Amino acid sequence: MMDFTLFNPIRQLEAIISNIQPKGKFFLPNFDVEKIPTYQLFFEISSKSFCFWVKDSVTAQIIWVEEYSLSWLDADSSVVDNISFVYSSHEFLKSIKWHSIHIQCDSQSFVQVPLPYFRKEFMQKYLQLAKGQLISNSEQILSQADESFGLVHVFSIETALLNWFSQTYPLVEIQYTPICQIVLEVAKAESRNEPAMYVYVKEDAINVVVTNQGKLQLCNRFPIRSTNDALFYILATLSELSISPEKAFVKLFGELGADGQLLAILSEYVTNVELGDFQTVRAWEEGQIPKNYIGMKDGM
């Protein structure tokens, strides 16, 4: 019998929606929809992935996590299109009663400007110089000051994404943060005196922060396709900053793979390499909170 689903757009849509399942899910039995006004909702969003977690603002306990790959629609579909499908079949995400919402954006569109030189009216020019291209009408430019490092994060997100979240949560305060700022906060908390590199590894990019004597030396994001790409950018960054691999301290976070391949290879070149608290573990299978999202750190 011929499958008429292929010729019926409505049936096709229903098939897509029915197949939207998180690739990982964790929750505690004390999660209570009636307590959503006391819960904080966090997102980490990139062009390829979407994760959210719920934190109890009273206990600071993470009580729900779901992780998705954004790959159900065709190549021309936007992040908003994909996220909308998640929401279309979700039980509580659409609530407008959240205590607060925090959206962590992982994209190549950001730059840090020294605080004394920052002028709000020049934000577009700062970002254009950093990206090497004009800022389109499809981008919304935002900024966030970091007084401890004496700089301002200037970054952009898709206007459609910003508008979509504003329309979805019209009564909730929404805070947008670039992933690079989260990595900087980790570096700041450690306050190492020696040259230190913090690397947050994701499927298609690494975010790298280097500090020395408590001062920021570099903050950048490098697109990658393999472990070898990540290794190259880490070693190239150390070389560019004239930091000896024997003296450098490197801390890895994020998606390091089940076999820890990046750690093993990097350890052949860099003497002092450590795993951070937020690297991929077999959390989903073991029913534990996943730790491959650096934004899950305490204090957020």
Side-chain angles (χ1 to χ4, degrees):
M1 178 181 291
M2 182 176 293
D3 184 0
F4 287 97
T5 300
L6 298 175
F7 306 98
N8 188 323
I10 295 178
R11 291 289 300 279
Q12 283 182 303
L13 182 61
E14 290 175 345
I16 292 173
I17 292 176
S18 66
N19 288 326
I20 296 175
Q21 297 294 331
K23 64 178 184 178
K25 184 175 181 178
F26 164 89
F27 64 91
L28 294 177
N30 60 327
F31 178 88
D32 185 351
V33 173
E34 298 299 321
K35 293 183 179 180
I36 280 181
T38 67
Y39 293 161
Q40 296 172 294
L41 181 60
F42 290 80
F43 297 92
E44 183 178 305
I45 301 173
S46 71
S47 60
K48 290 190 175 183
S49 63
F50 166 74
C51 178
F52 77 84
W53 57 95
V54 177
K55 179 183 285 189
D56 189 319
S57 63
V58 178
T59 65
Q61 183 180 41
I62 293 176
I63 54 179
W64 195 293
V65 186
E66 288 185 28
E67 181 183 66
Y68 296 84
S69 292
L70 301 182
S71 58
W72 306 295
L73 305 181
D74 58 62
D76 295 328
S77 299
S78 68
V79 173
V80 170
D81 292 332
N82 282 280
I83 293 176
S84 295
F85 275 103
V86 176
Y87 272 67
S88 67
S89 58
H90 205 278
E91 52 188 314
F92 62 78
L93 264 182
K94 290 176 284 190
S95 172
I96 60 173
K97 298 180 180 180
W98 296 98
H99 177 275
S100 60
I101 295 176
H102 307 260
I103 300 174
Q104 300 165 6
C105 308
D106 185 17
S107 78
Q108 200 71 27
S109 186
F110 70 91
V111 66
Q112 285 78 38
V113 180
L115 196 55
Y117 300 102
F118 175 75
R119 298 293 181 273
K120 191 171 183 178
E121 61 269 24
F122 295 150
M123 287 199 303
Q124 183 169 333
K125 291 185 178 180
Y126 298 144
L127 205 53
Q128 285 178 176
L129 287 171
K131 294 182 66 175
Q133 63 187 58
L134 295 176
I135 304 302
S136 69
N137 292 332
S138 64
E139 296 176 78
Q140 182 75 33
I141 303 176
L142 304 174
S143 66
Q144 197 164 103
D146 187 335
E147 295 185 1
S148 60
F149 275 111
L151 55 84
V152 178
H153 298 277
V154 180
F155 60 102
S156 73
I157 64 171
E158 292 182 22
T159 301
L161 185 64
L162 187 146
N163 290 341
W164 187 85
F165 273 110
S166 296
Q167 293 166 7
T168 303
Y169 303 110
L171 304 179
V172 188
E173 179 183 355
I174 302 176
Q175 177 183 345
Y176 293 89
T177 304
I179 287 295
C180 59
Q181 182 175 344
I182 309 296
V183 184
L184 266 173
E185 289 175 359
V186 171
K188 184 195 314 178
E190 295 214 346
S191 300
R192 289 182 173 270
N193 289 323
E194 76 270 27
M197 173 183 285
Y198 301 86
V199 184
Y200 182 40
V201 184
K202 298 299 292 179
E203 177 185 358
D204 59 347
I206 59 172
N207 284 270
V208 179
V209 165
V210 180
T211 61
N212 193 1
Q213 301 292 322
K215 296 182 180 180
L216 179 64
Q217 301 292 299
L218 176 139
C219 181
N220 208 346
R221 181 181 186 272
F222 302 99
I224 62 171
R225 293 183 178 179
S226 66
T227 297
N228 286 336
D229 288 345
L231 177 66
F232 169 80
Y233 284 120
I234 290 171
L235 296 179
T237 298
L238 291 175
S239 176
E240 186 70 20
L241 295 176
S242 301
I243 299 175
S244 167
E246 291 78 22
K247 296 181 179 180
F249 168 81
V250 178
K251 200 162 191 176
L252 302 174
F253 303 85
E255 299 177 357
L256 306 183
D259 56 359
Q261 185 181 16
L262 179 58
L263 174 66
I265 297 176
L266 186 59
S267 297
E268 297 178 10
Y269 299 89
V270 179
T271 303
N272 192 2
V273 182
E274 288 185 8
L275 292 180
D277 296 331
F278 304 91
Q279 70 279 343
T280 299
V281 295
R282 298 180 61 82
W284 297 124
E285 291 83 355
E286 297 173 2
Q288 301 173 9
I289 298 176
K291 293 185 177 181
N292 55 313
Y293 292 95
I294 200 168
M296 289 180 177
K297 72 184 186 66
D298 294 336
M300 286 300 298

